[in-house]
Amino acid sequence: MNASTTRYKVVLLFGPPGSGKGTWGKILNLLPGFYHFSTGEMFRMLDVDSDLGRRIIETMRRGELVPDEITFDLWQQHLHNATLIGRFHPPKDILVLDGFPRTPRQAERLNAVAEVKTILQLDCANRDILIERLHRRAILEARLDDANVAVIRHRFEVYDTAIAMTLKNFSSQLIETIDVAAPPVRILSAIGEALARRLG
Ligand code: ADP
């Protein structure tokens, strides 16, 4: 199938750093007919010896967003390759996007190629819980952007500003709010119920 004409069926995972987008995305990836894709992971896999890789890692280390055109081009290339090697089967498969889109421009580009079925907004009122999780992840996954509290707080600010603007590109009816301070089984059941309702 030609990637440029495919309309992807999409579930968006939105949420501040530490809210568990990656964890829940990987769990959904285990379901038949689901394909999880994280732009953060895509960037972390880039070769740090290349010019592009180095520039992007530097941007991430500061907690800033990677420029839109680079992000969208890499995103499209990745999905195209995943389709070619038979990992992802659009438009049959549900594409679970984690960390994308994060800007109005990215949302516009996504809307041109995708049908968004629902937005799972993972969040919790007490951000200190998320900071604690990030500290644990910094040690377990050696993530430099998770080790420094000033960078984490900056990423929360970047997220809050970016997400408010990005959400304007989608109907508010699509949003399902998931409280990530709840125990994991409750989060799992909230996500499962939301998807059963939205995907039928
Ligand atoms: P988190 O949400 O915990 O910050 P991610 O792995 O989603 O973790 O993202 C890590 C970093 O990767 C972000 O801080 C940003 O620098 C970059 N990034 C990820 N997705 C995008 C995107 N869609 N647009 C621009 N930058 C992105």
Side-chain angles (χ1 to χ4, degrees):
M1 184 165 309
N2 183 338
S4 59
T5 57
T6 305
R7 268 187 86 71
Y8 300 123
K9 278 200 214 99
V10 171
V11 168
L12 298 182
L13 278 176
F14 281 3
S19 60
K21 299 185 297 293
T23 303
W24 293 108
K26 286 189 188 101
I27 289 170
L28 292 177
N29 195 48
L30 297 172
L31 296 176
F34 280 69
Y35 181 73
H36 164 239
F37 179 39
S38 150
T39 37
E41 257 172 46
M42 168 182 88
F43 291 139
R44 279 187 288 279
M45 281 181 337
L46 289 174
D47 178 5
V48 286
D49 287 332
S50 70
D51 250 11
L52 182 66
R54 218 178 5 255
R55 272 203 337 251
I56 289 181
I57 297 296
E58 270 310 308
T59 306
M60 291 168 79
R61 199 172 285 174
R62 290 194 306 269
E64 302 289 348
L65 293 180
V66 177
D68 285 339
E69 294 310 311
I70 298 177
T71 303
F72 189 78
D73 286 351
L74 288 174
W75 179 85
Q76 240 184 352
Q77 273 175 38
H78 178 101
L79 287 182
H80 184 61
N81 292 341
T83 308
L84 278 181
I85 62 170
R87 285 254 190 95
F88 171 47
H89 307 92
K92 191 162 48 87
D93 285 352
I94 298 289
L95 174 60
V96 179
L97 288 178
D98 148 5
F100 181 89
R102 286 199 199 196
T103 66
R105 178 79 187 123
Q106 291 177 17
E108 265 172 40
R109 308 264 332 239
L110 174 71
N111 276 332
V113 294
E115 180 193 352
V116 176
K117 297 285 189 184
T118 186
I119 300 172
L120 301 180
Q121 197 165 17
L122 312 183
D123 214 337
C124 82
N126 181 1
R127 293 259 163 111
D128 288 344
I129 296 177
L130 304 185
I131 292 180
E132 219 168 278
R133 288 184 188 167
L134 288 167
H135 279 316
R136 239 176 293 141
R137 186 168 79 180
I139 296 160
L140 291 173
E141 295 178 19
R143 273 192 52 178
L144 292 170
D145 57 342
D146 286 343
N148 178 318
V149 177
V151 172
I152 291 175
R153 293 216 182 271
H154 181 57
R155 278 159 65 210
F156 284 146
E157 279 165 28
V158 169
Y159 171 80
D160 287 332
T161 314
I163 218 62
M165 291 187 318
T166 304
L167 278 172
K168 291 190 183 141
N169 290 266
F170 302 99
S171 157
S172 59
Q173 311 255 327
L174 290 173
I175 299 176
E176 296 276 357
T177 306
I178 311 285
D179 176 14
V180 295
V185 279
R186 294 233 178 262
I187 302 176
L188 179 64
S189 114
I191 291 177
E193 274 172 31
L195 291 182
R197 255 195 326 269
R198 299 290 183 156
L199 304 174

